[in-house]
Structures are given as structure tokens and as C-alpha cells.
Amino acid sequence: MSRFFVSPDQVGANLITIEDRNDLHHMKKVLRLGPGDEVDISDGSAWEYRARIEYLEADMAQLQILDKQSFATEPATRVTLYQGIPKQGKMETIIQKCVELGVHRVVPVFMDRTVVVDKGNFQKKIDRWQKVSAEAVKQCRRGIIPEVSGAMRMKEVLADLAGSYDLILIPYENEDGTTIKDVLRSLPAKSGDAAAPETATLKPDAPVTIAVLIGPEGGFSEEEVAMVTGAGGRSVSLGRTTLRTETAGMAALAMIMYELEL
Ligand code: SAM
């Protein structure tokens, strides 16, 4: 079943209106859909719908809502990946795979050992990466399109982290004591069980929010690790081997989802 994304203000009590020309073209010319055909619609924030096409033209479509449900595919755990910007081309792979694995937001970060420089055209890269996220969502049928935010520097990351997460993880290649499993198992149950460890104060029935920081090819500087752990982040090992930067975020996400979602 094809899936389309609309904004919540395009959803009425019984009807959904689509005016995005690309979507309308895809419906009419590529999928050859017409009145009577059914599609899945997501409002990108909370609900997904099964809807039947009542009217479909080049400039507008109207669909009758047949069924509405909260997202079946969205994880209750919201993971934000702060990814040390890697060399050419790897970011697309990181975003595509992490969207499939359930990432909630991706923040590209200029870290101390990032070799890529911003020559002033970085917004074009962010726009392209956002498209990669939207494409990945269609394939894996997520309910939301994970945001690829504007690039940050570490001091902006620290401000972004402050008070925003139940848990901050910094997978660090030189960490050989605490594993990600140790820390995840120290989290209380998602029900917001009162026995929260000092590093996480889960709100009952709210999604667990986790930040994961991954270094670029050159890894983290000692100063960066100190800043993040000083701000309450937990330095964790992802295992005995050194993973590539493009592998590490996926591995961390997979471990988090395995532990908290499956
Ligand atoms: N320059 C580092 C070295 O050669 O030892 C490698 C950095 S690694 C390519 C990039 C990032 O992946 C690291 O900064 C870290 O965030 C993560 N990473 C890779 N392997 C890891 C492991 N075994 N445990 C924790 N984090 C790891």
C-alpha cells in the first residue's frame, strides 16, 4: 500500500486534502491511482490513516478517511543521533540506515577531528540529507520523517543536550569499562517506573529520549569526551572492535532498539 505524508492541517474530520504536486503526479501518473483506490496517509507527527481517493486531479486530491490509528511502526524510544560529520558520501548511508533502524532526529556535528569544512554551501547538503531521510521513510514505512537538523558545533550540541534527554550516550572507542548494555539496563522500565537512576528521570508514559554522539573517522578528542561526560553523558563501549564512524551509529541504534523496543 502506497504511503503519503501530509501536514496535520490537511486532515479534516472525514476528508484529507492533498495539494503537493509531486505527490499528485506520483499518485496519478506513476501509480495510476484514481477514485476508489486506497492509500495510507501519515500526518508526520501522530496519526496514520487508511483513506480512499474520492477525487484526484493534477492540482488537488480529496480522500475519505476509512481508518485512523496511532503509528504502528514508530518506536516509543526517541533517539537523536549527533553524528560527527564524516567524509564525502557516508552521511547518506548513515541517515538511510538509521532511519530504517528508528532514529528520531539526526544532527550533523563539526567535531574537533572532523576533516570536512563548511564552505558556505552546507545547507545544500542538509537539504539533500533530509531528502534521503524522506526516501528512507517511504521504503521502511515509518510514520514520521526524521528531521536532519542544521549542522552544529560541539558547544551548540552541549546546549542542545542540556535537560533534553533521559539519557546521553557517548560511544567512545577508548572506553573499555562500561558497555551500552550496562547503561541501558540501568534505565527503569518504559512505564516511567519511579526507580530512575540518577542519570535519567523518566516521565511516566512519555517516550524514552536518548542522545547518542558518534565521532567522525578520527574519533573524539579527549576534551570532547570530558565535556559530554561532564554534562551527564555516559561513555560506553560498543564492543571490542573499532567500528567505522558510519557503522557505529547504526550499531548503537540497533542495540538500543533491541534492548528497549523488541
Ligand atoms: N580514531 C579512532 C581509532 O582509530 O581508535 C576510531 C574512531 S571510530 C572510526 C568513530 C567513532 O565510532 C568513535 O568516535 C566512536 O564514537 C564510535 N566507535 C567506534 N568503535 C567503537 C567502540 N568499539 N566502542 C564505542 N564507540 C565506538
Side-chain angles (χ1 to χ4, degrees), residues 171-173 214-220 236-239 241-243 245 248:
Y172 179 38
E173 57 276 23
I214 298 292
E217 291 86 349
F220 285 114
V236 293
S237 167
L238 296 178
T241 54
T242 298
L243 307 178
T245 184

Side-chain angles (χ1 to χ4, degrees), residues 169-181:
L169 298 174
I170 175 165
Y172 179 38
E173 57 276 23
N174 299 337
E175 173 63 51
D176 54 11
T178 312
T179 68
I180 191 168
K181 179 170 66 177

Side-chain angles (χ1 to χ4, degrees), residues 131-173:
K131 282 203 180 87
V132 170
S133 173
E135 282 313 308
V137 158
K138 288 191 177 152
Q139 180 277 324
C140 66
R141 307 180 59 72
R142 289 273 306 267
I144 65 152
I145 301 176
E147 177 204 355
V148 178
S149 82
M152 289 188 187
R153 298 204 176 269
M154 275 306 274
K155 65 179 184 321
E156 294 158 298
V157 168
L158 289 170
D160 207 48
L161 291 174
S164 310
Y165 295 95
D166 294 315
L167 187 59
I168 299 169
L169 298 174
I170 175 165
Y172 179 38
E173 57 276 23

Side-chain angles (χ1 to χ4, degrees), residues 11-252:
V11 181
N14 303 306
L15 288 175
I16 295 174
T17 304
I18 296 182
E19 291 168 335
D20 180 285
R21 295 263 172 172
N22 292 328
D23 281 345
L24 294 167
H25 177 267
H26 191 67
M27 272 179 165
K28 206 169 159 63
K29 300 290 183 208
V30 176
L31 301 175
R32 301 219 170 277
L33 297 175
D37 288 325
E38 294 181 9
V39 294
D40 282 340
I41 304 274
S42 165
D43 71 2
S45 62
W47 298 102
E48 53 191 9
Y49 305 84
R50 176 61 55 86
R52 184 182 54 241
I53 299 171
E54 300 294 316
Y55 170 86
L56 173 55
E57 289 307 334
D59 60 347
M60 198 262 275
Q62 276 208 320
L63 300 92
Q64 175 74 35
I65 295 174
L66 304 175
D67 182 32
K68 164 183 180 179
Q69 61 172 355
S70 61
F71 291 131
T73 57
E74 279 307 300
T77 307
R78 289 189 177 168
V79 178
T80 296
L81 172 66
Y82 292 85
Q83 173 65 48
I85 297 170
K87 294 174 191 154
Q88 191 58 25
K90 294 177 186 174
M91 200 62 164
E92 281 86 345
T93 305
I94 293 169
I95 290 168
Q96 184 188 62
K97 299 308 171 202
C98 289
V99 166
E100 290 171 47
L101 284 163
V103 77
H104 189 72
R105 177 166 81 114
V106 179
V107 182
V109 184
F110 285 102
M111 293 183 183
D112 289 349
R113 295 178 187 167
T114 297
V115 293
V116 173
V117 290
D118 179 358
K119 299 189 190 95
N121 64 344
F122 220 76
Q123 189 50 47
K124 265 174 44 186
K125 286 182 193 278
I126 304 289
D127 295 344
R128 158 121 193 80
W129 293 340
Q130 186 64 65
K131 282 203 180 87
V132 170
S133 173
E135 282 313 308
V137 158
K138 288 191 177 152
Q139 180 277 324
C140 66
R141 307 180 59 72
R142 289 273 306 267
I144 65 152
I145 301 176
E147 177 204 355
V148 178
S149 82
M152 289 188 187
R153 298 204 176 269
M154 275 306 274
K155 65 179 184 321
E156 294 158 298
V157 168
L158 289 170
D160 207 48
L161 291 174
S164 310
Y165 295 95
D166 294 315
L167 187 59
I168 299 169
L169 298 174
I170 175 165
Y172 179 38
E173 57 276 23
N174 299 337
E175 173 63 51
D176 54 11
T178 312
T179 68
I180 191 168
K181 179 170 66 177
D182 299 332
V183 175
L184 291 175
R185 293 207 173 153
S186 72
L187 273 172
K190 273 190 295 180
S191 59
D193 174 344
E198 71 291 344
T199 52
T201 51
L202 294 185
K203 298 167 272 311
D205 304 329
V208 175
T209 54
I210 299 178
V212 175
L213 289 86
I214 298 292
E217 291 86 349
F220 285 114
S221 65
E222 309 263 316
E223 296 73 22
E224 286 170 331
V225 177
M227 281 196 296
V228 175
T229 50
R234 306 289 298 275
S235 166
V236 293
S237 167
L238 296 178
R240 295 186 189 82
T241 54
T242 298
L243 307 178
R244 293 175 187 276
T245 184
E246 60 269 33
T247 312
M250 295 179 219

